[in-house]
Amino acid sequence: DIQMTQSPSTLSASAGDRVTITCRASQSISTSLAWYQQKPGKAPKVLIYQASSLETGVPSRFSGSGSGTEFTLTISSLQPDDFATYFCQQYNSYPRTFGQGTKVDVK
Amino acid sequence: EVQLVESGGGLVQPGGSLRLSCAASGFIFTNYWMTWVRQAPGKGLEWVANINHDGSQTNYLDSLKGRITISRDNAKSSVYLQMNSLRAEDTAVYYCVRYLLWGPGTLVTVSS
């Protein structure tokens, strides 16, 4: 199975900060990676697919990059609505696997 | 409106069975593979199974093989997850997922 490792596990930030979350795959997954945002009691929301494609309706302050084994999700200027947990997921091979999550909370 | 709505969750005793359903609407159901993902309380996301457009191909998480079956009814735009021999560790919210679209989830609680 491909292991997906996110860092950090928790990130404390303030509104307006630039935030970067990293996701590393245990083997190459090309660009078969998605990023999700999840708020308590809600289903995950797709932010980025194919490593860098912004899902329709997602604010442009979110961006994704990377290929192979290293990927990043960047929020250029953190907004109050962005405090949430973020997950990466690879869909290059079975079983599909997720990172353990990064919680972005208020500093 | 494009949406997925899960149903069938609830409280079940260890060793029991449950069949989850997911009703799709607002898109051409037969164009998509369909997936189930679960999330135990306070934990991360775990991919469970998926099924191709006509139901001829399925993939399962190895640790669940033999206890679960994914199926679909394209005439009803629905996908199902049959779960047998349920254990406490199967307690989770189960999400129905299409490419880039998630349902709100249905909670399965396995407890005596």
Side-chain angles (χ1 to χ4, degrees), chain A residues 1 36 38 41-44 46 48-50 55 87 89 91 94-100, chain B residues 33 37 39 43-47 50 59-62 95 97 99-105:
Chain A
D1 298 3
Y36 301 92
Q38 188 178 34
K42 299 293 186 181
V46 179
I48 303 285
Y49 61 97
Q50 212 59 31
E55 168 66 333
F87 294 93
Q89 182 208 4
Y91 48 92
Y94 290 105
R96 311 309 198 200
T97 44
F98 293 86
Q100 79 279 13
Chain B
W33 285 68
V37 173
Q39 186 172 35
K43 303 296 185 183
L45 298 163
E46 183 174 53
W47 179 89
N50 71 359
N59 296 284
Y60 295 99
L61 186 65
D62 278 352
Y95 295 104
V97 181
Y99 185 62
L100 303 182
L101 176 68
W102 291 57

Side-chain angles (χ1 to χ4, degrees), chain B residues 30-48:
Chain B
T30 51
N31 282 358
Y32 294 90
W33 285 68
M34 296 300 297
T35 298
W36 288 95
V37 173
R38 69 182 183 180
Q39 186 172 35
K43 303 296 185 183
L45 298 163
E46 183 174 53
W47 179 89
V48 170

Side-chain angles (χ1 to χ4, degrees), chain B residues 6-12 18 20 36 39-41 83 90-95 104-110:
Chain B
E6 303 92 340
S7 60
L11 176 64
V12 59
L18 213 54
L20 305 183
W36 288 95
Q39 186 172 35
M83 302 188 295
D90 295 318
T91 294
V93 175
Y94 284 74
Y95 295 104
T106 186
L107 175 63
V108 172
T109 303
V110 183

